[in-house]
Amino acid sequence: MAKKKRPLLDQLKEGKYPSFVKEMEKMAEKKPAVEDHLNLLERSYEDKTVHWKHGGIVGVRGYGGGVIGRYSDLGDEFPNVKEFHTMRVNQPSGWFYSTETLRKLCDIWEKHGSGITNMHGATGDAILLGTTTEHLQPCFDDLSANGFDLGGSGSDLRTPSACVGPARCEHACFDSLDLCNHLTQEYQDELHRPMWPYKFKIKISACPNDCVSSIARADMSIIGTWRDEIRVDQDMVKEYANNGKDIEGILASCPTDCISYDTEKKEINIDNENCVRCMHCINKLPKALRVGKEKGATILLGGKAPIVQSAFLSWVIVPFMKLESPYDELKDLLERIWDWWDEHAKVRERVGELIYRKGMRVFLKEVGLEPDARMVKYPRANPYIFWWPEEVQQND
Amino acid sequence: MTNVAKTDIGPPLYKDQLPEIIKNNYGQWKYHEHVKPGVLKHVAENGDELYTVRVGSPRLLSVETLRWFADLADKYCDGHLRFTSRHNVEFLLTDASKIDALIEEVEAEGWPVGGTGNSLKNLIHTQGWIHCHSAAIDASGIVKSVMDDLYDYFKKDDLPAKLKISLACCLNMCGAVHCSDIAILGIHRTVPKINDEEVSKACEIPNVVASCPTGAIRPNPKKKSVTINEEKCMYCGNCFTVCPGLKIMDPDNDGVAIFVGGKTSNARSGPRFSRLAIPFIPNEPPRWDSTVKAIRNLVELWVENARPGERYGEWIERIGWEKFFDMAGLPFTDKHIDDFIFSVPTFRSTTQFKY
């Protein structure tokens, strides 16, 4: 059969940046589904709209999530993408792969699906893009036999993800990879069997640089920090100075003006009590400045994209928590939050929206957290103060 | 009988995926340096050196390319590699003398090395027309077009600060873009079309009614369907997510909105949302010329005017948003003023502003 011409997509094979169209064409030779996928996409480019239908319920035995059903609305015209489901494969913490592991994944996916992937999806999973309903179970069987498992989808715990952490970063304030793996393993049931009001995302960054943007993208954002003093290596300060580094210029951006440079001694002095641990000076002078030694994380809650009450950035609920395996304090908190949310939330209400509806006051009391001035940017300005019944004298 | 697949085994253990040098120096890194654009050097307490070569990828990768990455990792990196949260591929080398050969081999095949330090980071994005049912815009095609145009900013690291551009193809924001330096967002602008028959067959009416954040949806018992108050609808598409009978895609009216000034790191200033700069640019496949041009203008304005170290939003906060609209030559319209539930704190309640 003659190949269809794709004049619009062909224009996306030009230019310097790697072309996704070329990636698809690499598989189209072997996979009729990818040839149809390209032709369907060309039609979308002509029509300026999607040609995928609303999802359908498909999956593998024993799981309620991990597979996104996808059907084309032009299935008669493009029969090889009539069914074209996505499988989410849980990534190793930090997205590290041995080539052996990566090749196994490639072989399984070439055998059972399109051979097209996303490395990786926004949640963190390796995305296997496009297969038929009948291939789902055999594909999962092969994945499982080779040490892979599916990630989350629907109203469940979504696949947690983490920054590179102590594997390759001197700023790591706790072991983000181990915590990510630990929570993923501990909550396999919550991850694979949707039974909550809506999705719950956990993202883990091991320092305030928040390289996985957990504060914007996760219901629970776990962000590394420290409580004691920034460590200063004055010899390295001198080395930077002697190499012409604009130390004063860098320190001028300190948000609390708590750091100064002695030009004569070529030394950095820090008023640590006024440091807010923003990472700016450490980022710019990593040889000379290091995070403190008393390390842990700030736990924040409620972050989400706009649907439906607006986007929220996560809010501080625990200013500082030590994070060491087996992470009992964190898991205990997480489970109290899930219980409260599960009991009170409406369908498709994220935990941040529930807190907004019920009030932070109620949330803190019911999950057993003490209010802390670090939880707010400002205290209340309005006078509508709620009191618990025991705090006022009861009149008969 | 065939064996039943094991469930709930979780992902491959990360420890088994790490190269030797990382196993040996786990948690023992001392500092890092930027060797050159796309190349990082991490030094451990014991003096071990690890070099990272970062390669940009379009996220959508064939298994053929993944196998090629594996071949490269076998040749140069003792059989290990990693991916980043922004879809880069990172090759981890212990032998500095191999860096240039690796870069040459990668770039000869058209894969760019860059994206470190004060550079344009790889564009994170969503599925778009490739595989989504509610996309207002394509993802991969716009990303490709923008990255082709801004390619040199990925390859160099002399921007005022890092620059993160992100794309989400509808406001579900599977790729949460709302805190990016520049966010490209697919938006719908018209009310969902009610297919009464499909609504009555496929949708739970109470769920559909409850899904609407503005209370625009009411039951229509006669047709076992719903009605939509057009004046209240804000085109979020949440009802379509719960009900396929309320199709919101509209090829004539869907398109791109551009938001600027967000960030998620805590460095200097805290995390913040991106804010609306350009309310609408039509879909222009295959190359989205107007979108590409608008983004280039926004980037160049920041490059020319920001102080060293200032992220996009930090620069705007310093000069003021009114000044930003002037300098960018962007009209400020009623679309730029928030009118949803958290709008009031965004109104100006001071006489301090600029002309």
Side-chain angles (χ1 to χ4, degrees), chain A residues 203 205 209-218 221, chain B residues 85-86 164 179 264-265:
Chain A
K203 291 200 195 304
S205 285
N209 283 329
D210 195 4
C211 284
V212 294
S213 296
S214 67
I215 202 159
R217 306 197 302 151
S221 315
Chain B
S85 63
R86 300 188 75 86
K164 291 183 171 180
C179 296
T264 56
S265 94

Side-chain angles (χ1 to χ4, degrees), chain B residues 177-183 259-263 272-276 321:
Chain B
V177 302
H178 52 286
C179 296
S180 308
D181 292 295
I182 298 177
F259 294 69
V260 298
K263 72 193 277 279
R272 58 184 62 167
F273 292 122
S274 314
R275 311 248 168 212
L276 183 64
W321 284 89

Side-chain angles (χ1 to χ4, degrees), chain B residues 76-123:
Chain B
Y76 292 99
C77 313
D78 305 322
H80 295 83
L81 56 85
R82 79 177 286 262
F83 296 84
T84 74
S85 63
R86 300 188 75 86
H87 321 315
N88 299 289
V89 186
E90 289 186 338
F91 293 97
L92 307 159
L93 298 89
T94 49
D95 185 349
S97 70
K98 290 182 179 172
I99 294 172
D100 288 340
L102 170 64
I103 292 175
E104 202 174 307
E105 194 166 337
V106 167
E107 296 209 319
E109 292 293 321
W111 296 76
V113 171
T116 57
N118 291 337
S119 67
L120 167 64
K121 306 298 177 182
N122 202 17
L123 261 68

Side-chain angles (χ1 to χ4, degrees), chain A residues 189-369:
Chain A
D189 196 32
E190 285 79 357
L191 204 154
H192 288 134
R193 292 165 197 94
M195 50 195 159
W196 282 338
Y198 204 11
K199 65 181 98 172
F200 193 97
K201 297 185 177 183
I202 300 174
K203 291 200 195 304
I204 303 165
S205 285
C207 90
N209 283 329
D210 195 4
C211 284
V212 294
S213 296
S214 67
I215 202 159
R217 306 197 302 151
D219 297 274
M220 180 176 274
S221 315
I222 302 170
I223 301 179
T225 188
W226 66 96
R227 286 194 64 152
D228 55 347
E229 302 187 338
I230 291 177
R231 287 176 282 168
V232 186
D233 183 338
Q234 300 291 6
D235 291 340
M236 287 298 174
V237 176
K238 289 181 182 69
E239 186 183 305
Y240 276 127
N242 295 335
N243 289 334
K245 195 76 144 180
D246 178 17
I247 297 176
E248 279 180 296
I250 289 167
L251 302 191
S253 298
C254 172
T256 61
D257 201 17
C258 73
I259 189 166
S260 59
Y261 180 57
D262 184 327
T263 46
E264 276 183 21
K265 290 186 188 163
K266 294 182 181 171
E267 283 184 1
I268 282 176
N269 298 301
I270 304 175
D271 168 14
N272 276 284
E273 280 202 3
N274 284 307
C275 171
V276 290
R277 299 167 194 83
C278 82
M279 293 296 295
H280 168 73
C281 60
I282 298 174
N283 288 338
K284 298 296 177 189
L285 303 167
K287 284 183 177 178
L289 302 175
R290 302 177 74 179
V291 301
K293 286 182 170 172
E294 191 189 347
K295 295 185 263 194
T298 301
I299 313 297
L300 306 95
L301 196 72
K304 58 184 284 297
I307 295 293
V308 74
Q309 293 262 21
S310 294
F312 295 151
L313 297 169
S314 290
W315 312 301
V316 174
I317 58 164
V318 179
F320 187 82
M321 184 186 284
K322 285 260 185 202
L323 285 178
E324 282 159 8
S325 189
Y327 312 106
D328 287 335
E329 189 184 354
L330 178 68
K331 287 188 291 187
D332 189 47
L333 173 64
L334 199 47
E335 288 164 23
R336 294 199 311 269
I337 290 168
W338 285 341
D339 282 348
W340 179 76
W341 172 55
D342 200 20
E343 190 178 332
H344 297 284
K346 299 177 192 169
V347 176
R348 287 170 55 78
E349 188 173 41
R350 298 280 284 272
V351 69
E353 288 165 328
L354 177 64
I355 294 173
Y356 175 62
R357 180 162 64 83
K358 290 271 195 184
M360 183 69 104
R361 176 186 71 111
V362 173
F363 165 75
L364 292 176
K365 179 165 179 164
E366 296 194 357
V367 302
L369 289 168

Side-chain angles (χ1 to χ4, degrees), chain B residues 165-215:
Chain B
I165 305 180
S166 311
L167 181 146
C169 54
C170 84
L171 55 167
N172 281 332
M173 283 197 198
C174 298
V177 302
H178 52 286
C179 296
S180 308
D181 292 295
I182 298 177
I184 306 164
L185 180 63
I187 58 165
H188 304 291
R189 300 192 300 156
T190 48
V191 177
K193 288 170 266 308
I194 304 169
N195 179 333
D196 289 318
E197 197 189 335
E198 200 168 2
V199 173
S200 69
K201 277 186 194 161
C203 312
E204 290 181 36
I205 304 296
N207 274 354
V208 180
V209 171
S211 74
C212 181
T214 64

Side-chain angles (χ1 to χ4, degrees), chain A residues 100-244:
Chain A
E100 188 191 352
T101 301
L102 190 59
R103 284 201 177 91
K104 271 188 205 164
L105 192 62
C106 292
D107 292 349
I108 294 167
W109 189 232
E110 182 160 4
K111 182 177 163 194
H112 293 291
S114 67
I116 297 293
T117 73
N118 291 151
M119 299 296 274
H120 291 76
T123 305
D125 299 295
I127 304 291
L128 306 183
L129 203 69
T131 193
T132 58
T133 308
E134 68 170 347
H135 272 100
L136 292 172
Q137 189 63 43
C139 186
F140 176 72
D141 293 346
D142 273 0
L143 287 168
S144 172
N146 283 280
F148 298 100
D149 202 347
L150 298 187
S153 69
S155 294
D156 64 6
L157 174 63
R158 299 299 180 86
T159 305
S161 65
C163 72
V164 72
R168 197 202 52 198
C169 185
E170 68 272 22
H171 304 324
C173 294
F174 63 90
D175 192 340
S176 50
L177 303 189
D178 185 61
L179 176 62
C180 182
N181 189 68
H182 185 100
L183 295 177
T184 306
Q185 291 290 359
E186 183 84 14
Y187 297 118
Q188 285 286 296
D189 196 32
E190 285 79 357
L191 204 154
H192 288 134
R193 292 165 197 94
M195 50 195 159
W196 282 338
Y198 204 11
K199 65 181 98 172
F200 193 97
K201 297 185 177 183
I202 300 174
K203 291 200 195 304
I204 303 165
S205 285
C207 90
N209 283 329
D210 195 4
C211 284
V212 294
S213 296
S214 67
I215 202 159
R217 306 197 302 151
D219 297 274
M220 180 176 274
S221 315
I222 302 170
I223 301 179
T225 188
W226 66 96
R227 286 194 64 152
D228 55 347
E229 302 187 338
I230 291 177
R231 287 176 282 168
V232 186
D233 183 338
Q234 300 291 6
D235 291 340
M236 287 298 174
V237 176
K238 289 181 182 69
E239 186 183 305
Y240 276 127
N242 295 335
N243 289 334

Side-chain angles (χ1 to χ4, degrees), chain B residues 206-261:
Chain B
N207 274 354
V208 180
V209 171
S211 74
C212 181
T214 64
I217 301 179
R218 290 273 173 263
N220 181 354
K222 272 186 195 166
K223 294 181 175 171
K224 294 181 181 166
S225 179
V226 295
T227 59
I228 300 177
N229 179 337
E230 301 203 1
E231 282 183 15
K232 282 188 175 176
C233 176
M234 60 181 188
Y235 330 114
C236 71
N238 199 41
C239 57
F240 178 57
T241 302
V242 302
C243 174
L246 298 173
K247 203 171 170 185
I248 193 169
M249 278 76 66
D250 178 349
D252 297 326
N253 286 294
D254 292 346
V256 171
I258 294 180
F259 294 69
V260 298

